[in-house]
Amino acid sequence: MREVLGNIVRSKILNIVQQDINDLADLGIKAKLAVVIVGNDPSSKVYVRSIEKLCLKMNLLFSLHQIDASTKEIELFNSIKTLNNDKSVHGILCQFPLPINFKNEIVTENISPFKDVDSISPANIAKWATGKYSFIPCTPYAVLEILGHYNIQTSGKEIIILGRSHTVGRPLSILLSNPTFNATVTLCHSKSENLQAITRRADILISAIGKANFVTESFLKKDCTIIDVGINYIEDNTHPQKGYVVGDVDLSSVKDFPCNLTPVPGGVGPVTISTLLLNTLKAARLQLTR
Amino acid sequence: MREVLGNIVRSKILNIVQQDINDLADLGIKAKLAVVIVGNDPSSKVYVRSIEKLCLKMNLLFSLHQIDASTKEIELFNSIKTLNNDKSVHGILCQFPLPINFKNEIVTENISPFKDVDSISPANIAKWATGKYSFIPCTPYAVLEILGHYNIQTSGKEIIILGRSHTVGRPLSILLSNPTFNATVTLCHSKSENLQAITRRADILISAIGKANFVTESFLKKDCTIIDVGINYIEDNTHPQKGYVVGDVDLSSVKDFPCNLTPVPGGVGPVTISTLLLNTLKAARLQLTR
């Protein structure tokens, strides 16, 4: 097994981000990302802290909008509307999952498509669903950038995707079978029969199901590339942080198998934050022309 | 080869349509479908005549809006806007392809999502792309109804779709892999490698590429079901009508193969018009509650 690292892709993207920031500064614009969190989901908070840190490092404006889980949905609605109308804000990201008393539609139906940097509004979904995307959702975007950077052929190849979520598996299945990538894509899920026989066809296997150690050697074809999008937290009292994060792939099973693998951590994750900044700068440019 | 006929499915749907028409009549509503044609595409005209005939038979109001191909796009825009605002119109269908001097977006971006019976507006695309569809596009809807009527299992099964069009292949690939149908779907297209090896995995093969005689016996697994969505016009001067219509499947090649096949004509086509009426009545109900 050979590791396909995310950091080198992230660095390349951040160079583009830096150039974009400079170009916008020449036009007197300082791009700003606003992040909305509802409640206290700990992994959301960890993720948002990494976004904030990277924005600070890149000199991109950042604001955090924390909403209490005990408030009413109207608070979230108002927050989204205020950010939509705030001319100093270019990108808006709302962290999911929301607490159960909040409907996702409060965000997806109301966020401005021009500031919707994770592409969750109906207008933007309709674009990526029909190959006319303006914003690619951040995690799928990171996967596409990794495939592109490492020059991993997609045209005519078989890509098997595990997991049909609306934020990762579904958009990737659509984007990768569009004419830009031209892959033959199969989308698998919990009800798929003969799963290992199907995944063994994959030139590229993308796992986004969030089950630790799910993908073993018997899922793989020789020389395939595995993109591990899983982020699974394993509690472990013997560990200094009382736990650690792993992907969907069972490393002990695949370590001697001839394949390429994006590790977790260090694979898709770090690239995702850089594609979020890329989308924020795209949003800033989009608002220039409105 | 055993034929899976569309007429029996159509009859069943038309019974539901009749019941719906009666129920709406009790509320004092007479549902109306408006069809827009731009230019003189002959197969569009044939199709629209069959819609008109069926509306007449079912006692559903129908209006035809013919726009000259030599006019400006604003004419089409105005026509769509007028139909959106006309309270007596419940469903709007615009025939594609448009002449090359007309952009599809004039229709897709402006048609009211509440009257959009072929589900081409961004709001409705975003719904079917994320499993929350209100209108299912008519041809995919017909395919789903055929599978349902003949009790053809989809859950966990392998479905291979040929063709990635935004009106047939793409929506079917999404709908069939959603939890309602739970199939493992592979979407193939002109750049797919080893195509016959892939289609031979299919429990259900859906062909929507529009190439006469493309699918032969060597594409098939024993006992598969083939849904032939192709409509290909073959010119033939020896034929009384100077030509005839065939699907994508080479009948002479598959006739002795153990499989189920929707014939062309007589398979998906007749069901499609009945799902269009079903969507028109759904639109009429939707407008009741607005």
Side-chain angles (χ1 to χ4, degrees), chain A residues 21-40:
Chain A
I21 289 176
N22 297 346
D23 290 352
L24 284 167
D26 289 346
L27 300 166
I29 291 155
K30 225 165 142 49
K32 182 172 176 178
L33 173 66
V35 175
V36 179
I37 295 192
V38 188
N40 282 301

Side-chain angles (χ1 to χ4, degrees), chain A residues 158 164 183-184 186 189 192 201, chain B residues 158 177 184 186 189 192 201:
Chain A
E158 284 212 59
R164 55 187 164 183
T184 303
T186 303
H189 46 77
S192 292
R201 301 167 185 161
Chain B
E158 285 212 57
S177 63
T184 303
T186 303
H189 45 76
S192 292
R201 300 168 186 160

